Amino acid sequence: MTRPIARRRRLAAFAVAAAAALPAAACNGGTQSGEIKIGFITANTGPVAFAGQTFGNGTQLAIDQLNREGYLGGGRKIKLVRKEGAEPPARAVEQAKQLAGDQGVVGAICCILSPVAGAVKPITTAAKLPLDIYGATDLGLEDPPYVVRTATLPQDANKSLAQKVAQQAKPASVAYAVTQDNSGWVSQLKSFQQGFAGTAVRDLGTVNTLAAQTDFSGAAGQLMAKNPEAIVIAALQQSSISLIKALRSRGYKGLIVSAETIGSPGAFKAAGKTLADVPFPVYFFSGKASAQGQKFAQTYRAKYGTDPDDYAAQGYMAAYMMATAVKDSGKDVTRESVAKALSDIKKLDGTIYGTVQFQQGQLHAPSSIVHITWTADGRQTEWAPSGPAAS
């Protein structure tokens, strides 16, 4: 009887030791071959679904392409673990906790809105799960090695557009509208103001709106009462569209300037020619894209039937960045090795934006900024001032 008992004890001891060893290996999400899991949180429902869907399109397109091309080598492929992160932030936080708890997930891609990114960031950082933020625009969200951001900062693009408007359209005055309860949009408002600062354009003040607001007739009236020659709108897509419609229906004839949010095909579908001649800045415009960007645009059109917008490009870039970090991690891919590889990237050539730089975990691509507008028939073209003020 002693031998079976001793054997059972040895087996039990071995099982305990094996069980103890599993979390140590799993806590890093290590994998050497086969399928490598990357989490992806976006919003396919709710008020920002217009962006979430194109972010998702671009991200999935990149993963499919890189897997098809054998980008990681060794027969390895990336599996995108998709999670629905519709607003408010609590939904995305819950999804981030699920990804953090799945020890096979070695990286995560997330976040359209800044409040969501701010809520998700502590969850992934505590789990040492590297996070690539693809959309949120509030300053300071990046925090390497565990948080990087491949979203092209609209603040730089907004500032350059404001400077162009001041220099070429030459409005005498400007008034602003902003979604005041979203820190990302407040930051974007400030960047427009910085672009106009020091020019001859007189600042007539700001009208505040709310993210949940649906009626913009009052805001339009307040803006027009200031009698500005130009109005800048820093708000979500539907808010921007509604306010532009309200201004035009009230007879406003001046220049309206907006942010990249109105650049998606869904925006023109919702607003039509109301968006014509409203300039906005983007980092990706297929008409002036790099060779890799042209390839991306062609593939995107073939799969989805439309040109990729800035959000699709940001989704693509986030997936490409994460895949590059996985590739650079070597044979043993862990959360720690991916985080280190992400924060070690300082420059990438041949991206859809051309050559990009990283400073403290933030992507910069100023040379790719283009100022564009919709035409009345639904095309996008580079913006040039028109009318008496531009002559």
Side-chain angles (χ1 to χ4, degrees), residues 70-86:
Y71 184 71
L72 298 184
R76 298 180 301 173
K77 292 187 176 181
I78 291 176
K79 178 183 179 182
L80 205 60
V81 182
R82 299 179 70 116
K83 298 286 186 179
E84 172 58 42

Side-chain angles (χ1 to χ4, degrees), residues 93-387:
V93 164
E94 183 58 36
Q95 304 291 21
K97 289 179 179 177
Q98 291 180 23
L99 292 174
D102 183 347
Q103 302 299 338
V105 175
V106 298
I109 303 170
C110 179
C111 308
I112 297 173
L113 297 181
S114 296
V116 175
V120 165
K121 176 178 168 180
I123 306 299
T124 55
T125 299
K128 296 186 176 180
L129 177 64
L131 173 68
D132 186 346
I133 298 174
Y134 60 73
T137 60
D138 205 359
L139 297 177
L141 288 171
E142 63 280 359
D143 189 12
Y146 292 112
V147 185
V148 301
R149 180 163 50 175
T150 49
T152 46
L153 287 181
Q155 287 86 346
D156 293 339
N158 294 344
K159 184 176 179 180
S160 72
L161 176 56
Q163 291 169 341
K164 183 175 181 177
V165 168
Q167 293 165 4
Q168 298 186 17
K170 297 181 175 65
S173 57
V174 61
Y176 301 91
V178 65
T179 304
Q180 67 170 340
D181 56 344
N182 182 294
S183 57
W185 286 110
V186 172
S187 177
Q188 291 204 47
L189 166 72
K190 291 178 181 177
S191 64
F192 277 116
Q193 292 172 326
Q194 289 168 0
F196 282 112
T199 72
V201 183
R202 189 160 47 99
D203 185 342
L204 300 181
T206 302
V207 172
N208 293 319
T209 65
L210 299 173
Q213 191 168 327
T214 57
D215 183 356
F216 289 86
S217 57
Q222 292 177 56
L223 287 165
M224 291 180 67
K226 296 177 182 294
N227 197 29
E229 290 191 9
I231 292 174
V232 173
I233 301 173
L236 291 168
Q237 183 185 94
Q238 190 52 55
S239 300
S240 298
I241 289 172
S242 297
L243 183 49
I244 292 169
K245 285 182 174 180
L247 287 166
R248 294 306 191 203
S249 68
R250 283 173 169 260
Y252 181 71
K253 302 297 184 183
L255 176 64
I256 300 176
V257 179
S258 191
E260 65 180 357
T261 184
I262 67 167
S264 71
F268 189 84
K269 185 176 180 180
K273 62 183 181 180
T274 305
L275 297 184
D277 300 321
V278 175
F280 56 95
V282 296
Y283 282 87
F284 184 85
F285 178 50
S286 58
K288 294 190 70 174
S290 65
Q292 187 64 26
Q294 291 286 356
K295 178 182 177 182
F296 160 61
Q298 291 168 4
T299 306
Y300 191 95
R301 279 193 296 269
K303 185 168 185 177
Y304 299 110
T306 64
D307 284 324
D309 60 13
D310 238 16
Y311 297 142
Q314 287 174 215
Y316 184 99
M317 189 65 197
Y320 177 76
M321 178 79 167
M322 190 63 76
T324 299
V326 170
K327 183 179 180 179
D328 292 349
S329 294
K331 292 183 178 180
D332 188 17
V333 181
T334 68
R335 290 182 177 183
E336 290 286 356
S337 66
V338 172
K340 183 179 185 305
L342 275 174
S343 59
D344 282 348
I345 295 174
K346 306 302 180 187
K347 178 182 176 182
L348 284 176
D349 296 314
T351 78
I352 58 174
Y353 299 122
T355 298
V356 299
Q357 306 282 343
F358 289 86
Q359 299 173 14
Q360 297 298 313
Q362 171 61 55
L363 180 147
H364 292 275
S367 63
S368 67
I369 296 173
V370 185
H371 307 130
I372 64 174
T373 187
W374 288 101
T375 64
D377 59 355
R379 294 177 295 108
Q380 289 186 350
T381 185
E382 284 194 76
W383 174 75
S386 59

